[in-house]
Amino acid sequence: MQNPWTLALALVACGLDGHQELRLAGPDEVRMERLGAMDPPAVVLPDGGEPEGLHWAAEPGEVARIDGERIVAVAPGEATVTGTWQGHTVHFTLVV
């Protein structure tokens, strides 16, 4: 008989612990040719749905900032944009 803890660890490692993993519905690097606002790429769950209440952050703030649900490029450079939902994160690089 298999150890029940081994099975439980395998399920958690495979993402079957009841939480849904996030993924971008696009590239992990987004390029903007000019300063200004843009909508972030879509984020999807394994079932194809979109997470509600996704929170975005951008670092460094000298290159990009978040304004509501939009990303605003404020200076040339690279920024890491991170989306957080229920303890899970997804990120992409913004190149301005």
Side-chain angles (χ1 to χ4, degrees), residues 32-37 63 72-77 96:
M32 289 184 70
E33 299 298 322
R34 59 185 167 83
L35 303 180
V63 175
V72 181
V74 295
V96 182

Side-chain angles (χ1 to χ4, degrees), residues 3-95:
N3 182 335
W5 288 108
T6 303
L7 180 58
L9 288 173
L11 290 174
V12 171
C14 292
L16 299 176
D17 61 350
H19 296 288
Q20 300 214 33
E21 298 296 322
L22 301 175
R23 66 179 164 72
L24 288 174
D28 60 358
E29 182 175 285
V30 175
R31 294 185 171 270
M32 289 184 70
E33 299 298 322
R34 59 185 167 83
L35 303 180
M38 65 169 273
D39 291 326
V43 175
V44 295
L45 299 167
D47 65 4
E50 294 183 18
E52 291 188 33
L54 185 71
H55 174 74
W56 289 104
E59 290 293 329
E62 295 81 23
V63 175
R65 65 180 172 78
I66 305 301
D67 184 12
E69 295 183 12
R70 302 196 80 199
I71 300 163
V72 181
V74 295
E78 286 190 14
T80 300
V81 182
T82 304
T84 305
W85 177 78
Q86 294 188 2
H88 296 279
T89 60
V90 64
H91 67 274
F92 67 93
T93 300
L94 176 66
V95 180

